[in-house]
Amino acid sequence: MIHVALVEDEQKYVEQISSYLEKYGKEKDLAIRFKVYSDGDGILEDYNMQYDIILMDIQMKFVNGMSAASEIRKIDSEVMIIFITNYDSYAAKGYEVGALDYVLKPVSFFMLSNKLDKAIMRLNNKKGHEILINTKEGNKRVNINDMLYMESNGHEIIYHLLDEIVSGRGSMKECENKFIKYDFFRCNKGLLVNLKHVNGVFEKNVDVAGELLPVGRTRKKLLLEAMASYICKVVK
């Protein structure tokens, strides 16, 4: 679940950005819960480090976005703030309060989507992304970081998690398309592993959280390259 605060005093933008957030969640298969505040004082009164992302208008009647962000930063250094403004001249000031980015009005879905992608990528790197998987018992929400690997068994996919194993209908190709952006690698025809949990790559096997799994002969070099790229990304 991604928790978002929208701080905006113009109703037309409240309605527009709210619809964009709903559309973004559907397109990205993300559960997004958001709350709207009509001014900076509203979010300050309610703030308890409960949000992952704050979309904040800069120019508001009572407490402007810059002042509100400055107060929020005193108690929360992690929340990602994206300013909404009519003027790009405010961008430099935004960085003074650790803003991630800014969006110019009028706000387009394309532009907001790009900024949200950036914020959620950083969020995923910090705490891991939650995703829905279709199991025999119904949809199950799991954290990407808790997924060790997936293997195909006929028309089923078996999900090996940190603390349980669940299964559901699906194909390995569908899983690869869905999870490759989260640093998963397909070691052979029926196995997809989470690079986060790879401890080592050997002649014919890969160690995933202490379990040795087979690597296809033609996939070993690609796996090593994927691991090198993953490590470089993590240590940046």
Side-chain angles (χ1 to χ4, degrees):
M1 178 73 70
I2 306 295
H3 297 274
V4 179
L6 171 57
V7 190
E8 172 61 65
D9 62 349
E10 292 187 69
Q11 187 58 32
K12 66 177 182 179
Y13 285 117
V14 169
E15 294 173 0
Q16 180 189 55
I17 296 171
S18 295
S19 68
Y20 287 169
L21 288 171
E22 292 172 355
K23 180 180 179 181
Y24 181 85
K26 290 178 182 177
E27 288 190 358
K28 302 291 183 175
D29 191 27
L30 283 173
I32 296 180
R33 178 177 294 172
F34 63 93
K35 183 172 181 177
V36 177
Y37 298 91
S38 60
D39 203 274
D41 60 346
I43 189 170
L44 289 177
E45 291 175 2
D46 187 49
Y47 199 76
N48 190 30
M49 299 178 68
Q50 69 268 50
Y51 297 111
D52 301 304
I53 302 169
I54 299 175
L55 302 174
M56 181 100 73
D57 186 16
I58 289 182
Q59 295 172 294
M60 292 180 288
K61 186 175 180 181
F62 297 108
V63 177
N64 67 46
M66 206 65 70
S67 298
S70 181
E71 291 300 312
I72 286 170
R73 277 288 174 250
K74 293 177 181 178
I75 58 173
D76 190 346
S77 62
E78 298 296 324
V79 66
M80 281 166 280
I81 300 172
I82 300 174
F83 281 123
I84 305 168
T85 178
N86 288 306
Y87 308 102
D88 56 8
S89 58
Y90 282 110
K93 277 195 169 184
Y95 296 131
E96 293 176 6
V97 292
L100 175 69
D101 216 324
Y102 68 100
V103 181
L104 285 176
K105 293 181 179 180
V107 181
S108 71
F109 175 73
F110 175 77
M111 186 57 67
L112 182 62
S113 180
N114 284 340
K115 307 301 184 184
L116 290 172
D117 283 346
K118 181 178 177 181
I120 289 171
M121 182 178 294
R122 290 199 181 186
L123 186 64
N124 291 342
N125 288 338
K126 290 179 181 179
K127 67 179 185 180
H129 175 68
E130 287 188 337
I131 196 165
L132 289 174
I133 58 174
N134 185 15
T135 73
K136 291 179 178 178
E137 291 73 32
N139 286 334
K140 178 179 178 67
R141 187 174 302 283
V142 299
N143 191 301
I144 289 291
N145 290 343
D146 293 340
M147 303 182 74
L148 302 178
Y149 65 93
M150 287 159 270
E151 60 179 330
S152 61
N153 180 25
H155 297 293
E156 286 188 340
I157 296 294
I158 301 172
Y159 300 90
H160 293 256
L161 310 178
L162 280 174
D163 54 1
E164 63 178 323
I165 298 174
V166 296
S167 62
R169 294 187 62 82
S171 72
M172 184 53 64
K173 185 62 178 176
E174 290 171 345
C175 284
E176 183 179 24
N177 291 338
K178 185 173 183 178
F179 289 96
I180 192 169
K181 63 183 176 182
Y182 301 118
D183 299 309
F184 280 70
F185 182 84
R186 192 167 178 177
C187 292
N188 57 46
K189 185 177 179 180
L191 181 68
L192 193 68
V193 303
N194 187 346
L195 296 177
K196 178 181 177 66
H197 294 288
V198 171
N199 296 324
V201 180
F202 308 103
E203 186 176 351
K204 296 181 180 180
N205 304 98
V206 56
D207 180 337
V208 180
E211 185 175 356
L212 291 180
L213 303 171
V215 178
R217 182 174 56 85
T218 61
R219 302 293 292 172
K220 181 181 175 182
K221 182 180 178 182
L222 294 174
L223 172 57
L224 289 170
E225 291 173 352
M227 277 300 301
S229 297
Y230 171 73
I231 291 169
C232 286
K233 183 173 72 172
V234 169
V235 300
K236 278 184 178 178

